């Protein structure tokens, strides 16, 4: 269990930076779409997808580690539940400084999507892709045996941005979860 603690703590520290980066990207997208009458009219039916939170993984040579959404939090090589035709932002954080690159492939091994690579500890890499029925697995280009998880098409994760007035659902909640899991 000790190996999980450094990954979780490192990833939780980096989530703040990732959230800030995602917020900047969302603000830029909103400015670019400002002239559109409604997001629902955006190409590709991106209406509701623009307010989605990203799927977040932490990458270390032994496995991908689920950070968000809650359904995959704490899981090694978690199964990604995606809804066909929905556009997703997937962010992965390099926590060990080894070179990583996330690839989504078909059951037959054909690459569908790939992220940029990173070999810098603490770097967050973001990729956007549309879920298709062909997606079967995701893996790391440099650690394909250890860092590999399934992609399933279904309802998809609940990634909607929810407004919560009066209670903090920021890093405080994640840190207490991390403390509880290490007991």
């Amino acid at each position: 269990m000790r190996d999980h603690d450094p990954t979780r703590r490192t990833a939780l520290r980096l989530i703040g930076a990732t959230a800030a980066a995602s917020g900047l990207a969302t603000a830029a997208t909103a400015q670019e779409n400002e002239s559109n009458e409604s997001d629902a009219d955006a190409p590709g039916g991106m209406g509701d997808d623009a307010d989605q939170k990203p799927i977040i993984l932490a990458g270390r040579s032994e496995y991908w580690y689920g950070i968000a959404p809650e359904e995959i939090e704490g899981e090694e090589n978690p199964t990604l539940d995606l809804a066909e035709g929905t556009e997703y932002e997937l962010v992965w954080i390099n926590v060990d400084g080894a070179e990583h690159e996330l690839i989504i492939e078909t059951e037959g091994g054909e690459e569908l999507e790939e992220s940029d690579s990173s070999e810098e500890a603490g770097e967050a890499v973001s990729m956007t892709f549309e879920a298709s029925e062909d997606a079967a697995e995701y893996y790391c280009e440099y650690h394909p045996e250890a860092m590999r998880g399934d992609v399933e098409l279904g309802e998809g994760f609940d990634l909607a941005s929810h407004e919560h007035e009066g209670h903090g659902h920021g890093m405080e909640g994640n840190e207490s979860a991390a403390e509880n899991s290490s007991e």
Side-chain angles (χ1 to χ4, degrees):
M1 285 300 250
R2 181 162 232 193
D3 288 341
H4 297 281
D5 293 339
T7 299
R8 186 172 185 84
R9 279 194 299 270
T10 301
L12 287 172
R13 276 197 320 265
L14 298 171
I15 285 176
T18 303
S22 294
L24 292 174
T26 301
T29 301
Q31 288 178 349
E32 289 173 11
N33 290 335
E34 198 170 270
S35 63
N36 292 347
E37 290 180 22
S38 92
D39 287 341
D41 296 331
M46 289 286 298
D48 295 329
D49 297 343
D51 292 331
Q52 279 188 174
K53 295 181 204 173
I55 297 169
I56 305 174
L57 301 173
R60 60 183 295 169
S61 299
E62 294 87 5
Y63 47 78
W64 292 108
Y65 186 81
I67 302 295
E70 188 175 309
E71 293 93 333
I72 64 169
E73 184 179 338
E75 290 185 31
E76 294 178 10
N77 296 321
T79 298
L80 302 183
D81 180 17
L82 308 177
E84 184 176 0
T86 301
E87 189 164 291
Y88 291 92
E89 177 183 13
L90 191 149
V91 175
W92 62 268
I93 303 164
N94 186 328
V95 296
D96 63 2
E99 189 164 13
H100 301 295
E101 179 179 339
L102 189 140
I103 297 174
I104 299 173
E105 71 176 1
T106 66
E107 194 170 313
E110 179 185 338
E111 291 183 14
L112 296 173
E113 303 287 341
E114 66 182 68
S115 72
D116 291 335
S117 65
S118 169
E119 57 185 317
E120 182 180 328
E123 182 174 13
V125 177
S126 177
M127 65 186 283
T128 303
F129 65 95
E130 185 175 316
S132 74
E133 66 181 21
D134 296 331
E137 290 185 302
Y138 67 96
Y139 67 96
C140 173
E141 172 75 15
Y142 303 98
H143 310 97
E145 298 301 317
M147 298 178 72
R148 183 176 290 272
D150 292 326
V151 174
E152 290 183 359
L153 293 181
E155 299 280 323
F157 295 128
D158 178 10
L159 299 171
S161 295
H162 299 286
E163 295 293 326
H164 294 288
E165 294 181 20
H167 45 283
H169 287 296
M171 289 296 293
E172 302 84 27
N174 288 335
E175 288 170 357
S176 62
E179 290 168 10
N180 292 338
S181 70
S182 64
E183 292 176 356

